Every structure is written in structure tokens, then in C-alpha cells.
Amino acid sequence: MAQSFESWWASLGPVTKFTLVTVLALGAAGTFGLVDVRHLFLFFPLLLTEPWRILTSTFFLGKFGMPFLFNTVMLVIYQKRLETEEYPQGFLGRTADHVWMMFLVIMTLLPMAYLLDLYILSMSFSMALVWIWCKRHEAQQLDFYGFAFKAGYFPWILTLIHVVLGQSPVNDVTGIVAGHVYVCFKDVFPSTHNLSFFGTPQFMYNIFPPQRVAMTTASGVQAFAPAGRAAGEPQAEVPHRWGAGRRLAD
């Protein structure tokens, strides 16, 4: 049964909605000349006075066109998958942890952007999300234009496609590195060494309280609403108390 726009929009979590609206707004601003796109780029000498460049360079996918459409769909798909899947694969009901993940990824990308003279983080950021989701679903079968393969190979296949199309692999590789750093610190080290790093700080939970899936629409999609944690729903990460020393486990 065809899904209405209202039910589709309700199925999106707040982070995915923010991502889509921001990408479309920046794309429109660049396309219609509402702003000089150079003001959206990452320019390190200006970051102290124009810190918004970190955000705009992360969500500016270029002007409207087929590349913009493809890149937007890819970003929204994997942002939504991460947001609507339950712990530990995703961040269902844990907006604070989701936003903190994005912050950590962006902070990992910034030094690489500085060293490699990258002015746009959006493609690297998108690939980082793809990498995180694929690493958490390595054995899952994906179908891409009729070709079936395991999810663990998808980031590399996507990078190869970009190279074949004449694009530089730098953005893809930096995104893979940033995504892998996050996976190592948040997934691998806690399970292999019983160590947890970069836990979500308490102030993030104050800004983004836990959510629960409040209802199921007629189309069978989930709708989000702020509320306390429902019974049986996985807990959010234990907040990190900065200055209290390193935690051994969440």
C-alpha cells in the first residue's frame, strides 16, 4: 500500500528530520543564490568568528541536481536507519546519543580536513554514517542496482563507484576512517577490553530527553514522540560525568 507523505514524515525521527530540512535549506540557498556558497565552506582561519561553517560544511551537499538528489537520499536513508533501529545497532529513542555520535564523527573529520585541505565535510560525514551502519550489520545482504552483497562491503563498493565516476576517493576514505574510529571506541573496545570512551555527557540528555515510539500508524510505520522510557525499551548510554575519571563500562 502506498505510504502518504504524512505517515512517511511521522516515521522519521527528529535527527533525520533535522538532517533533511537542513540539507534542503542549504541546497536551496546555494542554488538560488540566497547566500554565497563560499560562506558555507569550512575555512579554518575563520572558525573562531564563524563557527557555523562546521555545521554548514557538514550538511551542504551542493546545489540542486542529480548528484544532490543521490547524495541526499543516501544520507537520509542511513541517518534514518541508525535512528530507527534499537540498541545496540541504532539509536531508537536515544536522540542524545545519536547527536553525540554525529558530534564525535565531525570532530574526527576536522583534523583530517585541515591536513587534506577539505572545505566540505558532507560527503565524508555521509560515508561515516554508512560505515557505522554497515559495520553493525556486516552479514546483512544488500541489493544495489541488482547486485547483492554483504553490507560490510558496501562502503568500499560505493567508494569504487565514485572513483569510476571520476571523483576523488579522499572524501570516502576520510569518512570511513571517522566512522571506524567511532565504531572502535563505542563498539569494539567496550566488548574486547571492557573499556568505554567518550560517553554521552549529562547535558546532552538534558537537551534531548529520551524518547519512545509512541504509536504505529495505519501504514505500519513508527511515529516518534518525546516521553519517558517505556517498559522494555533499551536504556540510553550512561551519561559521562566529565572530570570524574575514565569509566570502565557503560
Side-chain angles (χ1 to χ4, degrees):
M1 184 174 64
Q3 182 178 350
S4 68
F5 175 80
E6 290 79 8
S7 62
W8 172 79
W9 181 256
S11 73
L12 303 180
V15 176
T16 306
K17 288 178 179 177
F18 170 82
T19 298
L20 178 58
V21 171
T22 304
V23 166
L24 291 176
L26 293 175
T31 301
F32 301 115
L34 302 179
V35 297
D36 187 333
V37 294
R38 291 175 296 180
H39 293 306
L40 307 178
F41 292 172
L42 186 66
F43 189 49
F44 283 93
L46 296 179
L47 285 189
L48 289 179
T49 56
E50 300 177 1
W52 69 80
R53 290 176 179 268
I54 297 176
L55 185 66
T56 56
S57 67
T58 300
F59 292 100
F60 181 59
L61 290 171
K63 298 180 179 181
F64 290 165
M66 287 305 297
F68 173 88
L69 179 61
F70 177 82
N71 293 328
T72 300
V73 169
M74 185 68 63
L75 176 59
V76 170
I77 285 176
Y78 284 90
Q79 191 74 281
K80 180 183 178 182
R81 286 182 176 180
L82 286 170
E83 188 167 23
T84 56
E85 292 185 1
E86 295 184 353
Y87 179 87
Q89 284 78 22
F91 299 95
L92 180 63
R94 302 185 299 130
T95 300
D97 297 330
H98 194 166
V99 174
W100 187 245
M101 175 274 289
M102 294 194 298
F103 173 80
L104 293 176
V105 167
I106 293 171
M107 290 302 102
T108 305
L109 288 172
L110 283 177
M112 291 188 283
Y114 179 79
L115 294 174
L116 297 172
D117 290 327
L118 301 179
Y119 298 100
I120 293 293
L121 297 180
S122 55
M123 298 304 299
S124 301
F125 177 73
S126 182
M127 179 58 83
L129 299 187
V130 172
W131 181 265
I132 292 169
W133 187 88
C134 288
K135 289 297 288 183
R136 291 176 170 180
H137 301 78
E138 284 189 293
Q140 182 169 324
Q141 286 290 120
L142 296 181
D143 184 271
F144 190 69
Y145 291 107
F147 295 95
F149 47 82
K150 291 184 178 179
Y153 299 116
F154 182 57
W156 300 113
I157 293 174
L158 199 57
T159 301
L160 179 60
I161 292 173
H162 291 160
V163 172
V164 171
L165 293 176
Q167 302 176 19
S168 170
V170 172
N171 289 319
D172 294 322
V173 173
T174 53
I176 288 173
V177 171
H180 196 67
V181 168
Y182 178 83
V183 169
C184 284
F185 280 104
K186 302 301 292 184
D187 298 345
V188 177
F189 293 155
S191 63
T192 59
H193 295 81
N194 197 31
L195 296 173
S196 181
F197 300 90
F198 308 117
T200 307
Q202 180 60 49
F203 75 85
M204 293 294 293
Y205 294 113
N206 296 335
I207 299 173
F208 305 105
Q211 293 182 312
R212 63 182 175 84
V213 178
M215 58 175 288
T216 300
T217 68
S219 301
V221 297
Q222 296 170 326
F224 287 77
R229 184 172 60 89
E233 182 177 328
Q235 295 184 3
E237 292 182 8
V238 175
H240 188 88
R241 292 175 174 80
W242 298 101
R246 186 178 66 188
R247 296 178 295 116
L248 292 182
D250 284 335

